[in-house]
Amino acid sequence: MDKLESYRSCIEILLEKYAQFQTENKEVENQLFFDPIRNHYQFMRVGWKDLERIYYTVLHFDIKYGKILLQQNATESDVGQELIEMGVDKEDIVLGLHPPYKRPYTGYGVA
């Protein structure tokens, strides 16, 4: 399996793992979005809590320039470390949720 396919697979496995955790509210649905052509991957929560609209991204990854960009992480987990444990090179993980000037200090890769 080439690097790009391996990274796609790791992201999909990770998102599927997190999407298994259902909220207590049955009106809120976990949704997964995999776009392997454009390399965008998301886990969202969508629904209603009483009269409040629930619509937010829990995890969002992109693959650009051979690196995984973590665009959003609304969990308390270090998903970068989880990707490393799955075989992703640490320098190939970029915390895209931080501005470019901070990325060299994150301990992960830079884009």
Side-chain angles (χ1 to χ4, degrees):
M1 179 183 312
D2 74 343
K3 185 169 134 175
L4 179 60
E5 285 300 317
S6 173
Y7 286 2
R8 286 175 177 152
S9 177
C10 289
I11 292 169
E12 289 179 14
I13 290 167
L14 189 66
L15 290 176
E16 287 173 358
K17 172 187 152 185
Y18 279 91
Q20 289 179 14
F21 300 105
Q22 190 67 300
T23 65
E24 292 178 16
N25 182 349
K26 301 296 182 206
E27 298 297 316
V28 177
E29 178 183 5
N30 290 342
Q31 295 185 351
L32 292 173
F33 301 94
F34 299 158
D35 181 354
I37 294 171
R38 294 169 196 86
N39 292 311
H40 303 295
Y41 302 86
Q42 289 186 339
F43 161 36
M44 294 187 68
R45 291 216 165 111
V46 179
W48 290 91
K49 181 180 178 186
D50 300 320
L51 296 176
E52 178 188 356
R53 176 75 170 147
I54 305 297
Y55 184 85
Y56 69 93
T57 302
V58 179
L59 288 165
H60 175 181
F61 296 95
D62 291 328
I63 301 174
K64 289 185 178 183
Y65 316 112
K67 297 180 185 263
I68 296 174
L69 275 77
L70 175 58
Q71 303 285 26
Q72 172 72 7
N73 182 3
T75 74
E76 294 185 11
S77 300
D78 184 353
V79 294
Q81 182 60 41
E82 291 183 56
L83 287 169
I84 291 168
E85 292 167 5
M86 296 172 83
V88 175
D89 295 330
K90 189 172 189 173
E91 61 272 2
D92 284 349
I93 300 169
V94 177
L95 301 184
L97 46 90
H98 290 301
Y101 74 90
K102 285 187 178 181
R103 293 177 191 166
Y105 307 105
T106 64
Y108 291 100
V110 297

